[in-house]
Amino acid sequence: MERAEAPGQGQRGRVSDVPRATERGQRRRSESRRIGNVVIVERATDPLAPYGVRKLTLLGIAFALIVCAALAWITIAEFFDHGVYTAATLQEQVDAPVLAVVPSSRTAQLRRLSRRTPTFESIG
Amino acid sequence: MMPHVTTPPVELSLEAVIDRDTTIARPRPLGRRAWFETDESYRKAALFVSKMVAEGRRSLLFCSARRREGTTTAVLSLAHQLQDGYGLRPLVIELNRRKPAMAKLFKLDPTPTLSDALDGVRPASECVQTTASGLSVIAGAPGRAAHPRLASGLKRVLAEVEYSFDVVLIDAPPILKHADAIIAGTIVSRLILVVEAGRTNHEVLERVKRELSPEDIRIAGTLLVKQKRFIPRWIDWWFAR
């Protein structure tokens, strides 16, 4: 079934069909040429493991570093600390007997002594 | 219904009443382990001092190398232990003129001080005050200037009080800060050095020894105070089993 053409329309269409077809062909050729230079090197795959160092390893390294730093700190502090801590050291240093070793008390000892109540021995 | 039972009144002897009242009045640590340990340590030191008293050495000089090591606390605790545990009559003389603490601490009369006794303004026996706990004390006088006749004055004061008291404990200022301790050391040649654990170091102790040696002052003993516990008690207990 042929489509009825409007008068004067068929002639104009025929004349303009040639450049349009050429243009289309050229575009197709150029597109095929452009696509042709792309090569798939490797197909994308899902990663098996996350990129970088594992968290556990990082934590382990950090812990080891902290331990090393703490040991270094203790060594340096111990090297420079000449304080007297024990009765044996004090006796050796002063060459006198240590009468008593009094433990540290959190409460103020002096204030406690001032509030001390009189005993029977002190009264009589 | 329960029958009403009346308990007969218990007749207490005089000794029992005294013993009961003494037990009430005596300060007990009551579960405070630190206090208990502190008291026990001072009891040990008091034993040593009581032996010295028995040998005839009746005055002792207490001092530390530097300030705030706990000399006053040590002297007062020791005096209490000598009084309560050994039945001695101690007298505490506060020689510290820079920061005298006893008058304020025990709310004593600030007028009769050691300075009066040293100057001869009052007899030493009049300067002795008794604290609420029954301890005899000669409080120090605040003042920046050094006492001009400290040695002779102290000698006279000691001679005055030694018949009234069994033992005289002198709370002296730090050796490395003031010369008063050295001057007093020439009169009272037996010195007890109070050492704060961890704070006082070898160099300081060497300096103290160097300061004392020209005056021929002998360190009769030391007290290691404020010793901190680094290892928990339960570990000690575990290994001591």
Side-chain angles (χ1 to χ4, degrees):
Chain A
M1 192 179 162
E2 283 186 8
R3 208 172 67 178
E5 287 182 355
Q9 199 179 16
Q11 198 182 356
R12 264 185 282 148
R14 250 178 266 134
V15 171
S16 61
D17 270 351
V18 178
R20 199 172 288 172
T22 317
E23 195 184 322
R24 234 182 277 137
Q26 278 174 352
R27 199 184 296 156
R28 206 177 296 129
R29 272 197 299 278
S30 69
E31 272 178 13
S32 68
R33 227 180 287 133
R34 209 183 299 156
I35 291 165
N37 62 1
V38 176
V39 180
I40 296 169
V41 178
E42 193 183 347
R43 291 256 170 217
T45 52
D46 289 333
L48 295 172
Y51 180 76
V53 189
R54 285 191 304 163
K55 272 183 188 171
L56 205 66
T57 315
L58 269 176
L59 277 172
I61 291 166
F63 181 73
L65 280 174
I66 287 165
V67 168
C68 287
L71 285 173
W73 178 265
I74 288 167
T75 311
I76 291 166
E78 188 67 25
F79 182 75
F80 287 108
D81 184 12
H82 300 155
V84 176
Y85 289 93
T86 60
T89 321
L90 181 60
Q91 189 161 3
E92 191 185 330
Q93 189 73 24
V94 182
D95 198 23
V98 180
L99 310 189
V101 179
V102 183
S104 178
S105 171
R106 281 181 192 174
T107 50
Q109 189 75 14
L110 259 183
R111 215 175 302 147
R112 185 189 152 224
L113 282 168
S114 68
R115 284 201 296 258
R116 217 178 146 106
T117 49
T119 60
F120 176 70
E121 289 86 347
S122 63
I123 294 165
Chain B
M1 193 173 168
M2 290 286 287
H4 183 69
V5 181
T6 52
T7 50
V10 181
E11 288 289 328
L12 284 174
S13 64
L14 181 64
E15 287 79 14
V17 169
I18 289 168
D19 192 42
R20 184 196 63 192
D21 291 352
T22 310
T23 313
I24 293 165
R26 185 175 293 152
R28 294 257 181 222
L30 291 173
R32 306 286 178 104
R33 191 178 285 183
W35 289 5
F36 177 73
E37 283 183 9
T38 307
D39 282 350
E40 286 303 305
S41 304
Y42 282 118
R43 273 185 74 193
K44 281 182 205 166
L47 177 67
F48 183 87
V49 174
S50 67
K51 280 179 184 170
M52 289 181 81
V53 172
E55 288 168 10
R57 299 164 186 172
R58 296 174 66 179
S59 45
L60 285 169
L61 184 71
F62 286 78
C63 60
S64 59
R66 293 185 294 189
R67 280 184 65 230
R68 302 188 67 82
E69 294 212 31
T71 313
T72 306
T73 309
V75 170
L76 291 172
S77 302
L78 199 58
H80 275 296
Q81 290 299 332
L82 285 167
Q83 186 171 264
D84 299 345
Y86 296 89
L88 295 171
R89 289 169 301 165
L91 170 69
V92 177
I93 296 178
E94 188 181 30
L95 203 63
N96 197 343
R97 64 187 155 80
R98 286 295 171 108
K99 284 200 170 180
M102 285 188 196
K104 195 179 172 187
L105 185 72
F106 295 115
K107 298 181 178 68
L108 301 174
D109 184 6
T111 325
T113 57
L114 177 67
S115 190
D116 298 336
L118 291 174
D119 289 333
V121 177
R122 293 169 196 244
S125 55
E126 280 186 19
C127 298
V128 176
Q129 297 187 70
T130 310
T131 66
S133 56
L135 198 67
S136 300
V137 166
I138 296 182
R144 289 204 163 269
H147 200 277
R149 295 174 296 279
L150 179 63
S152 59
L154 190 64
K155 201 171 186 177
R156 197 182 59 252
V157 168
L158 289 177
E160 277 182 53
V161 296
E162 74 173 349
Y163 293 106
S164 312
F165 296 94
D166 295 320
V167 58
V168 180
L169 311 176
I170 301 167
D171 177 17
I175 294 174
L176 301 181
K177 281 274 179 185
H178 307 286
D180 289 359
I182 308 281
I183 296 167
T186 56
I187 308 298
V188 184
S189 57
R190 281 163 297 278
L191 185 141
I192 305 286
L193 188 69
V194 179
V195 176
E196 184 181 340
R199 187 169 168 233
T200 309
N201 54 34
H202 296 290
E203 291 81 9
V204 169
L205 289 176
E206 280 300 319
R207 276 184 64 196
V208 168
K209 279 162 75 178
R210 276 203 300 275
E211 292 269 344
L212 296 177
S213 57
E215 303 301 328
D216 202 25
I217 302 167
R218 204 178 122 259
I219 299 175
T222 53
L223 273 173
L224 188 65
V225 297
K226 299 184 192 175
Q227 195 192 39
K228 288 187 182 74
R229 185 180 277 274
F230 296 105
I231 299 168
R233 278 196 186 89
W234 64 269
I235 294 178
D236 274 352
W237 174 82
W238 182 266
F239 283 108
R241 280 194 312 166

